[in-house]
Amino acid sequence: MNEQDKKLITQLYRDHNRYMVAGDTKKLGALLADNFHLVHMTGMVQTKAEWLGQIDSKQMNYFSSTEEHVEIKEERGNKATLIGQSQVDASIHGSRNTWPLQLNLHVEKLADGWKIMNIDAEMY
């Protein structure tokens, strides 16, 4: 994997966080593969449509995301995993807190660029 791809993947993570906080589900959705799914730190699994719908309805409302650490682990030439650690201030189903959230973004380079295939979230 070349340095340009690593920069693009890192920017993908940062854009993901920025659009999540902005509540811009149109731009956020464009970063996600059609068959994307998110595994929350609770173990709950959501499809792309379910997660974006809950952001739109403010059931999941992200106020800020402060990046602390980013690391890319290459799997194969067109697939990689980015591990991003951020302090995330959010209200999830009415419960607001700041969580030390680690997102494991599984990304793949498709015809139209790097896309987030799925995310596994956990605390660090």
Side-chain angles (χ1 to χ4, degrees), residues 24-77:
D24 190 336
T25 54
K26 184 175 181 180
K27 288 183 181 176
L28 180 59
L31 305 178
L32 311 175
D34 291 340
N35 61 346
F36 168 88
H37 70 273
L38 168 63
V39 181
H40 291 273
M41 61 186 181
T42 61
M44 178 178 68
V45 180
Q46 285 187 308
T47 65
K48 177 179 179 176
E50 290 169 337
W51 184 48
L52 296 177
Q54 289 200 350
I55 293 171
D56 281 336
S57 70
K58 303 291 188 208
Q59 291 177 62
M60 295 191 174
N61 195 5
Y62 301 91
F63 301 101
S64 68
S65 179
T66 306
E67 183 181 303
E68 293 192 330
H69 179 76
V70 176
E71 175 184 355
I72 297 172
K73 294 187 175 185
E74 183 176 354
E75 293 176 0
R76 290 187 289 278

Side-chain angles (χ1 to χ4, degrees), residues 11 13 15 37 42 48-49 56-57 65 69 74 78 88 106 112 119 123:
Q11 190 60 52
Y13 170 69
D15 288 345
H37 70 273
T42 61
K48 177 179 179 176
D56 281 336
S57 70
S65 179
H69 179 76
E74 183 176 354
N78 66 336
V88 178
H106 304 281
D112 57 343
I119 297 175
M123 289 197 295

Side-chain angles (χ1 to χ4, degrees), residues 1-17 31 67 70-84 104-109 113-116:
M1 175 172 297
N2 63 42
E3 287 304 310
Q4 180 63 22
D5 280 331
K6 289 180 181 180
K7 287 179 184 177
L8 291 170
I9 293 167
T10 300
Q11 190 60 52
L12 185 64
Y13 170 69
R14 290 177 176 151
D15 288 345
H16 165 273
N17 287 340
L31 305 178
E67 183 181 303
V70 176
E71 175 184 355
I72 297 172
K73 294 187 175 185
E74 183 176 354
E75 293 176 0
R76 290 187 289 278
N78 66 336
K79 293 183 180 182
T81 300
L82 178 142
I83 299 168
N104 302 302
L105 275 72
H106 304 281
V107 301
E108 187 172 342
K109 192 173 191 177
W114 287 96
K115 294 284 185 182
I116 302 170

Side-chain angles (χ1 to χ4, degrees), residues 81-108:
T81 300
L82 178 142
I83 299 168
Q85 296 176 334
S86 298
Q87 294 292 321
V88 178
D89 177 8
S91 176
I92 306 299
H93 302 277
S95 197
R96 187 169 178 175
N97 198 1
T98 299
W99 286 277
L101 192 63
Q102 176 171 305
L103 297 182
N104 302 302
L105 275 72
H106 304 281
V107 301
E108 187 172 342

